[in-house]
Amino acid sequence: MSWEVVIGLEIHTQLATKSKIFSGASTAYGAEPNTQACLVDLGYPGVLPVLNEEVVHMAAMFGLAVGATVAPRSVFARKNYFYPDLPKGYQISQYELPIVEHGELFITDDEGDEKRIGITRAHLEEDAGKSIHEGLDRSSGIDLNRAGTPLLEIVSEPDIRSAKEAVAYMRKIHTIVRYLGISDGNMQEGSFRCDANVSVRPRGQEEFGTRTEIKNLNSFRFVERAINYEIERQIDLIEDGGEVVQETRLYDAAKDETRSMRSKEEANDYRYFPDPDLLPVEISAEYIEDVREQLPELPDAKQHRFVDEYDLKNADAAQLTISRPLADYYETAVAASEAKPKVVANWVIGDLLGALNKEGLGLADSRISAEDLAGLVTRIHDNTISGKIAKQVFEAMWSGEGTADEIIEAKGLKQITDSSAIEAVVDKVIEANPGQVAEYKAGKDKLIGFFVGQVMKETKGQANPGQVNQILKQKLSD
Amino acid sequence: MSLTEDQVQQIATLARLKLKPEEHAELVDKLSRIVDFVDHLSEADTEGVVPMAHPLDVAQRLRPDAVIESDERDRFQENAPSVTDGLYLVPKVIE
Amino acid sequence: MDLHAKTLTELAAGLDSGEYSSVELTQSLLERIAAHDEKLNAFVTVTSDNALAAAERADQARAAGEGGVLNGLPIVHKDIFCTRGVKTTCGSRMLDNFVSPYDATIVERLAAAGAVVLGKANMDEFAMGSSNETSFFGPVRNPWDLDRSPGGSSGGSAAAVAARLAPAATATDTGGSIRQPAALTGTVGIKPTYGRVSRYGMIAFASSLDQAGVITRSAEDAARLLGVMAGFDERDSTCLNEPVPDYVAELGQSIEGLKIGLVRQHFDEGLDADCSVRIKEAIAVLESLGATVVEVDMPNIDLSVPTYYVVAPAECSSNLSRFDGVRFGHRADDPEDLLDLYCRSRGEGFGDEVKRRIMTGTYVLSAGYYDAYYLKAQQVRHLIADDFKNAFEEVDVIAGPTAPTPAFKLGDKVDDPITMYLNDIYTIGANLGGFPGMSIPCGFVDGLPVGLHLVGHHFDESTLLRCAHAYQQVTDFHTACPEDFA
């Protein structure tokens, strides 16, 4: 039987605010346990939540960026359950009236076509704390520093049809939230994680199969693997005459499998109701217009502009717009350079990103600024150096030896473009290789490469290759 | 009785309350009476009435995004029954 | 010097004139508490050292020509308000060992105005009760008859003020918890408009109904205290930024032309016949002062108690989830696992009535029952609030009985939750709609005080206080003192 996979993602993205969603404690990562947990975060008796204005702003930005409706009125609700990392015994979230609804975005599907993925809703909520098990004998330790960190939970429609599409969708959301500056998207620190709802159904069947929810996937790789494992598990189960049970499952990266989390399932009745400590959030049309005007250029628009304005291939434009700093780097380099934007793109994608990847660095750690890279590309463009020498200059720049001009000067790498100088070398090479000259003249055209090589060797690669070629051909045909 | 013993046990588990046997029996009786009493609500005609979660019709006020709290862990943990290295302790959570 | 017999206003004058110092006043009241509280059990904690230190600071401030409007005046806090460095129990075993690391907003404000805190008043556990019998620390007794209940949940506050152990006390009211004990002890109690006084630091029972107020011996004293407590607080999202009038200054205005509404249902068979006579006499007094009286119709008011007993338990079941034995409060010994830690800590820490409310609330919010109970109650709540709003189109104040009977015997109603719940039948409506309500002494039945209930429009506490003050200018029920505590 042929199976169709149906996937919906719930992405939890931490919002990059200074303080927590309902308290004035810091959200900075990595502090000593419980040193950033104030009375409100600890759920002390008598304390009350007050909403951070920045989370509303950030949620509105996201809503507009994905073409969604930003609700004029949204309501916080309590999700009631007991867990040690949840100090109040309830999580403040949004249930019936979320702040963002009915959005969409476009990904490239498995066939390379553009595909729409609906965004059902995005709602604001508070993050929970962390349980720590290492180094404690029969206990778990609770650190509530993370409790109360603002989260935007972005829920997709069940429009996703493969693990690859799921990753493409997640990457797109990741790019968007970072473009907007509303999240650092740091997956190691848990700022960006997702739950995947997965089901399968016989192709052509209309109703959905029973779904399972895979919790807490915190890397693109795990999302892909966990979903693929789960698809296979469900298909095998059904084909062997079994039934999929609706449940929450955990992905074990070490074993590359998902397993049931029955403990968390037990008597799941969250008893949502409107939080009486918080009033409805009202957002005016003027506010929404203000946010819209301040929205930065988004990845899709930027990519299209790069194709049009800089004459780039779609794939290159996509790569350069993967993050706002990279796109900015590229555009700064283009503006500072006399070379064609396409050439600049090749240097950024090929050499710069290559060098960064090799050392596992981010763009922010780049040893070469956009202006300096532009300086290098300009020297190729104005024939000061050849492309080949440029690679050598790039290496030197990367090692911190200076700007392109300083290195060219110090190492004497300037290209020889004086034709009389080149002619002198060519004459010398012709004189030294009479045998090859005879063969060439007899019709062995390929030998031109040999002569060019000899000239370049004599000039330590600094002769202009075009000129060398031209002068050689001319002299050899005399 | 409008509530059964099993229902009362289910609610107690959801509410994380351990009941002694005599408490359990009494709650079946008293909760049933309370539920019968609030069942009077069904007499009201509420067709089209908007549920009211709040006595006042006001919007949420927003707070500036500023860090105003500092580390007072030691003071706050004076009330904690069990703490090690700044962590609140609970029996091992298995996941 | 019978300092204990004086009202807050009289004491302020005595301190101002230098007749006595705050230390002398505080000392005399602490002695009185030591002598009498064993009979009443009105206090969970007496903070003698702190009180004397605060009194001394107040005297120094006064000598330096400084000090707030309550400088040196002794008060008591209901033990529901968090007080930094002082045990804050909420009447529960759960918080028997809890020392608050912070002050509630009203505690801060009263301290800043110079008030001296004598101690923390006993109360029904987590404010759930109408008789003060649910307290972990034992019932409070009514100074008018020690076999009777002072009402609840602010029974300790009311008993302390009625027995002249303190001139005034803070209190809270979720369904009548200020007004009903005030009525049963012959004191003045005011629950302001929802959102008038900050709830920050007041341990929550039902967040959309809870409101802090005061119990005093005169309307004038209530106006004084409320003026200090009321007003915007950035730490409470539901505390509104409404201007606070000068309640004391507005007391003097006449009530000539004031329109008073009577709710027909509040005078039916549920009301004790003798109480009904006292209430009607009181209304006649108000008429003699120039008020006019009309009957108002509140078609949905009979459903206020069932509505309340869905909404309040629902909110309480969630509010009390934070008491889990992990960060503060009672923790069971040697828990086997996490579930055992939760269930036993909570099972041991909470008393019967609190457990009943948590169970009721959990039930009405659970899957399959939410619509029939919680949502339905929210709709009926809307209808009841509209009944009040419609009434306030026509009248300035709604008057009636505070409680259906005078103080009842301890133990009389504990076995039947519904009978106990019906004690609040006249007061609950004001909480559901967020309206300010007040109870003032208006006479006696068989030697037990009866309270007149006044409800006003949103943010119009001033009219209630003015009405009460006018009444107290021509009557002396509020000055009557229980014999044993004269």
Side-chain angles (χ1 to χ4, degrees):
Chain A
M1 194 184 295
S2 163
W3 296 93
E4 185 182 35
V5 176
V6 176
I7 302 165
L9 293 188
E10 293 168 15
I11 296 176
H12 295 81
T13 184
Q14 277 185 3
L15 297 177
T17 53
K18 296 187 204 74
S19 65
K20 293 186 179 174
I21 181 167
F22 298 118
S23 84
S26 168
T27 56
Y29 181 82
E32 283 296 300
N34 292 309
T35 55
Q36 285 173 184
C38 71
L39 293 171
V40 172
D41 308 323
L42 294 171
Y44 248 73
V47 298
L48 296 167
V50 184
L51 184 59
N52 185 336
E53 66 183 359
E54 194 53 32
V55 303
V56 173
H57 181 226
M58 287 176 167
M61 284 172 81
F62 177 79
L64 296 176
V66 296
T69 308
V70 177
R73 188 170 181 276
S74 62
V75 168
F76 282 98
R78 292 183 182 179
K79 179 181 183 180
N80 294 283
Y81 65 96
F82 287 88
Y83 207 67
D85 62 12
L86 189 71
K88 298 186 294 297
Y90 59 84
Q91 179 193 30
I92 306 178
S93 181
Q94 295 188 308
Y95 188 54
E96 279 181 344
L97 295 171
I99 191 161
V100 169
E101 275 187 295
H102 313 306
E104 61 178 13
L105 56 71
F106 295 87
I107 60 163
T108 306
D109 70 9
D110 295 352
E111 275 76 48
D113 298 325
E114 189 171 72
K115 175 172 177 175
R116 176 190 182 276
I117 307 290
I119 293 170
T120 316
R121 57 187 275 160
H123 64 254
L124 289 168
E125 61 184 26
E126 54 181 347
D127 208 343
K130 280 181 187 165
S131 306
I132 289 154
H133 314 289
E134 294 76 31
L136 296 163
D137 187 17
R138 285 164 48 235
S139 303
S140 294
I142 309 301
D143 173 9
L144 296 170
N145 281 347
R146 197 179 68 176
T149 299
L151 289 179
L152 187 66
E153 178 174 335
I154 303 157
V155 182
S156 84
E157 292 287 319
D159 289 344
I160 299 164
R161 291 290 172 271
S162 72
K164 271 207 171 116
E165 284 185 17
V167 171
Y169 167 81
M170 195 173 168
R171 279 193 191 280
K172 197 64 175 266
I173 296 278
H174 192 244
T175 306
I176 291 171
V177 296
R178 284 180 310 141
Y179 257 70
L180 296 171
I182 63 174
S183 176
D184 64 16
N186 189 323
M187 297 174 90
Q188 277 92 42
E189 293 177 4
S191 309
F192 193 84
R193 51 194 202 262
C194 102
D195 302 338
N197 288 298
V198 179
S199 67
V200 297
R201 62 181 168 191
R203 203 166 288 282
Q205 178 182 305
E206 217 168 287
E207 55 279 25
F208 293 128
T210 306
R211 66 185 163 86
T212 58
E213 182 178 11
I214 316 170
K215 282 274 179 203
N216 247 339
L217 299 164
N218 62 358
S219 85
F220 295 118
R221 202 159 50 107
F222 290 169
V223 169
E224 184 161 358
R225 282 201 196 170
I227 291 175
N228 279 332
Y229 174 87
E230 185 58 20
I231 293 169
E232 216 168 296
R233 188 189 71 86
Q234 291 188 8
I235 293 174
D236 287 352
L237 195 62
I238 300 170
E239 288 184 343
D240 290 348
E243 262 183 35
V244 175
V245 184
Q246 184 167 346
E247 63 180 354
T248 304
R249 298 181 70 85
L250 188 73
Y251 178 66
D252 184 335
K255 293 183 184 157
D256 188 23
E257 62 176 34
T258 67
R259 60 181 154 82
S260 181
M261 289 170 76
R262 282 188 215 290
S263 59
K264 215 160 188 170
E265 281 298 285
E266 185 192 22
N268 244 353
D269 185 347
Y270 292 129
R271 290 159 285 140
Y272 280 100
F273 75 106
D275 191 330
D277 287 331
L278 292 159
L279 298 160
V281 178
E282 289 181 2
I283 300 180
S284 69
E286 296 78 48
Y287 181 90
I288 293 174
E289 280 322 301
D290 279 355
V291 174
R292 197 192 301 280
E293 272 169 32
Q294 289 161 27
L295 274 190
E297 184 181 33
L298 290 164
D300 283 355
K302 207 182 269 286
Q303 185 183 333
H304 292 141
R305 181 168 64 78
F306 278 18
V307 169
D308 294 346
E309 195 174 324
Y310 302 132
D311 194 24
L312 301 184
K313 279 186 291 186
N314 220 340
D316 289 348
Q319 201 168 353
L320 287 171
T321 53
I322 199 85
S323 82
R324 216 162 114 185
L326 181 63
D328 290 347
Y329 184 102
Y330 171 67
E331 290 206 279
T332 308
V334 167
S337 157
E338 291 158 25
K340 278 188 182 159
K342 220 171 181 166
V343 180
V344 179
N346 289 339
W347 276 91
V348 172
I349 295 168
D351 301 88
L352 181 80
L353 292 184
L356 289 170
N357 281 343
K358 204 166 135 195
E359 296 188 31
L361 299 176
L363 186 64
D365 310 313
S366 172
R367 305 214 178 100
I368 301 176
S369 70
E371 288 80 1
D372 286 351
L373 187 71
L376 173 64
V377 183
T378 300
R379 289 297 162 257
I380 306 166
H381 173 75
D382 67 12
N383 282 330
T384 307
I385 53 172
S386 67
K388 200 172 165 196
I389 291 289
K391 303 275 175 193
Q392 196 185 325
V393 176
F394 182 90
E395 294 283 324
M397 288 170 76
W398 191 255
S399 311
E401 291 174 33
T403 63
D405 285 347
E406 285 162 4
I407 293 163
I408 292 165
E409 182 64 37
K411 297 199 170 178
L413 297 176
K414 205 163 175 185
Q415 189 161 252
I416 301 163
T417 49
D418 174 354
S419 34
S420 59
I422 295 174
E423 270 177 41
V425 180
V426 167
D427 287 343
K428 200 174 149 194
V429 167
I430 289 174
E431 210 180 301
N433 298 287
Q436 281 84 348
V437 173
E439 278 180 61
Y440 179 85
K441 286 191 170 168
K444 204 170 175 186
D445 291 351
K446 273 186 193 162
L447 274 171
I448 188 76
F450 165 79
F451 292 112
V452 172
Q454 290 300 308
V455 175
M456 294 311 275
K457 198 173 161 189
E458 282 290 318
T459 59
K460 297 196 177 83
Q462 282 166 262
N464 181 305
Q467 272 174 294
V468 171
N469 230 307
Q470 193 203 337
I471 293 166
L472 263 172
K473 279 182 180 162
Q474 195 190 337
K475 297 239 173 196
L476 285 169
S477 60
D478 282 350
Chain B
M1 294 291 156
S2 31
L3 291 182
T4 65
E5 287 193 14
D6 283 354
Q7 268 181 305
V8 168
Q9 188 47 55
Q10 265 175 18
I11 302 166
T13 306
L14 206 51
R16 298 294 186 270
L17 289 172
K18 184 167 179 113
L19 303 176
K20 295 184 212 107
E22 65 273 19
E23 279 184 308
H24 188 258
E26 203 196 314
L27 271 167
V28 173
D29 168 46
K30 288 195 173 162
L31 279 187
S32 291
R33 280 151 77 183
I34 294 169
V35 168
D36 290 345
F37 176 66
V38 300
D39 268 335
H40 283 297
L41 287 173
S42 62
E43 293 160 16
D45 178 7
T46 52
E47 183 76 38
V49 178
V50 179
M52 176 173 157
H54 251 285
L56 303 172
D57 190 16
V58 186
Q60 175 64 34
R61 179 166 44 81
L62 302 175
R63 166 181 70 78
D65 179 25
V67 176
I68 54 165
E69 303 286 351
S70 50
D71 171 24
E72 295 192 76
R73 182 177 77 184
D74 294 348
R75 215 160 65 76
F76 297 163
Q77 291 191 338
E78 280 171 19
N79 279 305
S82 182
V83 162
T84 293
D85 296 334
L87 295 165
Y88 295 94
L89 295 186
V90 295
K92 193 147 202 117
V93 183
I94 316 129
E95 207 44 87
Chain C
M1 240 189 313
D2 285 342
L3 293 183
H4 64 271
K6 297 181 187 298
T7 65
L8 210 60
T9 305
E10 289 161 355
L11 291 171
L15 288 170
D16 279 345
S17 67
E19 205 178 319
Y20 38 83
S21 69
S22 177
V23 169
E24 285 168 323
L25 171 60
T26 302
Q27 190 71 56
S28 81
L29 289 172
L30 287 171
E31 281 164 15
R32 212 175 140 75
I33 292 168
H36 291 286
D37 194 47
E38 219 166 295
K39 285 173 274 181
L40 294 171
N41 197 27
F43 285 80
V44 174
T45 307
V46 179
T47 50
S48 307
D49 294 347
N50 287 352
L52 289 169
E56 207 168 314
R57 283 196 302 275
D59 286 337
Q60 283 163 5
R62 190 177 300 277
E66 292 160 9
V69 295
L70 300 174
N71 194 43
L73 293 171
I75 59 163
V76 174
H77 282 306
K78 184 177 180 179
D79 209 14
I80 199 169
F81 293 106
C82 285
T83 42
R84 182 168 173 163
V86 173
K87 207 167 76 156
T88 300
T89 69
C90 223
S92 182
R93 181 183 182 199
M94 181 58 87
L95 292 178
D96 186 22
N97 57 2
F98 179 72
V99 176
S100 174
Y102 77 108
D103 275 334
T105 297
I106 66 133
V107 169
E108 236 171 39
R109 287 190 183 170
L110 289 167
V116 170
V117 180
L118 300 172
K120 307 287 297 281
N122 200 349
M123 56 183 282
D124 275 305
E125 185 179 6
F126 284 100
M128 297 172 200
S130 307
S131 69
N132 228 295
E133 290 165 289
T134 73
S135 171
F136 174 65
F137 304 97
V140 177
R141 292 174 181 275
N142 193 322
W144 292 91
D145 178 348
L146 296 178
D147 290 335
R148 292 180 189 266
S149 161
S153 67
S154 310
S157 298
V161 174
R164 275 59 176 165
L165 305 188
T170 57
T172 63
D173 189 316
T174 306
S177 280
I178 290 176
R179 294 160 287 160
Q180 183 254 15
L184 269 46
T185 59
T187 52
V188 172
I190 183 164
K191 173 203 96 75
T193 310
Y194 184 87
R196 179 58 105 183
V197 176
S198 170
R199 293 187 297 115
Y200 186 82
M202 169 178 148
I203 299 175
F205 160 14
S207 310
S208 78
L209 301 161
D210 294 345
Q211 185 62 199
V214 292
I215 291 177
T216 58
R217 289 207 299 273
S218 72
E220 190 176 5
D221 285 1
R224 253 173 198 274
L225 278 183
L226 194 58
V228 173
M229 289 161 65
F232 179 68
D233 179 11
E234 60 181 13
R235 290 175 295 190
D236 176 1
S237 298
T238 63
C239 184
L240 300 196
N241 202 350
E242 285 282 322
V244 180
D246 184 339
Y247 293 125
V248 176
E250 292 185 7
L251 283 177
Q253 292 167 27
S254 136
I255 62 161
E256 179 84 46
L258 192 80
K259 286 181 91 176
I260 295 176
L262 305 183
V263 182
R264 186 180 42 79
Q265 290 93 327
H266 285 175
F267 292 89
D268 61 15
E269 70 276 10
L271 177 62
D272 175 89
D274 294 330
C275 286
S276 182
V277 173
R278 294 292 95 84
I279 301 301
K280 284 173 183 157
E281 287 166 1
I283 289 162
V285 170
L286 292 173
E287 271 187 291
S288 75
L289 294 170
T292 56
V293 174
V294 294
E295 192 167 276
V296 291
D297 191 32
M298 291 203 162
N300 301 290
I301 197 74
D302 285 342
L303 286 173
S304 58
V305 183
T307 302
Y308 177 86
Y309 279 96
V310 170
V311 174
E315 292 183 12
C316 114
S317 71
S318 175
N319 280 337
L320 268 58
S321 292
R322 68 190 60 204
F323 301 102
D324 59 4
V326 178
R327 296 163 317 285
F328 42 74
H330 177 75
R331 180 187 183 101
D333 289 334
D334 306 317
E336 275 171 40
D337 55 21
L338 186 64
L339 189 66
D340 187 46
L341 168 74
Y342 285 155
C343 293
R344 277 203 295 128
S345 297
R346 292 166 60 77
E348 295 163 7
F350 293 136
D352 292 343
E353 182 60 25
V354 171
K355 282 184 209 168
R356 273 198 289 277
R357 306 248 183 141
I358 291 175
M359 294 283 287
T360 308
T362 303
Y363 177 71
V364 300
L365 286 174
S366 64
Y369 300 99
Y370 182 89
D371 287 1
Y373 293 111
Y374 183 74
L375 207 63
K376 182 83 179 178
Q378 299 251 45
Q379 289 176 308
V380 179
R381 183 177 185 180
H382 204 159
L383 295 175
I384 294 168
D386 283 349
D387 280 358
F388 276 93
K389 280 184 193 154
N390 292 335
F392 286 122
E393 300 270 305
E394 292 172 41
V395 301
D396 304 304
V397 170
I398 292 166
T402 306
T405 62
F408 46 90
K409 287 238 161 90
L410 289 165
D412 257 11
K413 299 188 180 184
V414 277
D415 287 333
D416 183 6
I418 307 303
T419 318
M420 188 67 93
Y421 293 174
L422 288 171
N423 255 292
D424 295 329
I425 189 162
Y426 307 129
T427 47
I428 275 173
N431 299 83
L432 291 172
F435 299 97
M438 187 169 186
S439 180
I440 53 172
C442 69
F444 295 85
V445 168
D446 300 331
L448 296 170
V450 175
L452 172 73
H453 188 218
L454 304 170
V455 178
H457 209 341
H458 287 149
F459 296 101
D460 192 16
E461 293 82 12
S462 227
T463 298
L464 299 185
L465 290 163
R466 185 154 60 91
C467 191
H469 184 68
Y471 179 80
Q472 291 180 342
Q473 297 308 296
V474 296
T475 59
D476 60 2
F477 303 116
H478 64 291
T479 63
C481 179
E483 233 169 76
D484 298 348
F485 300 91

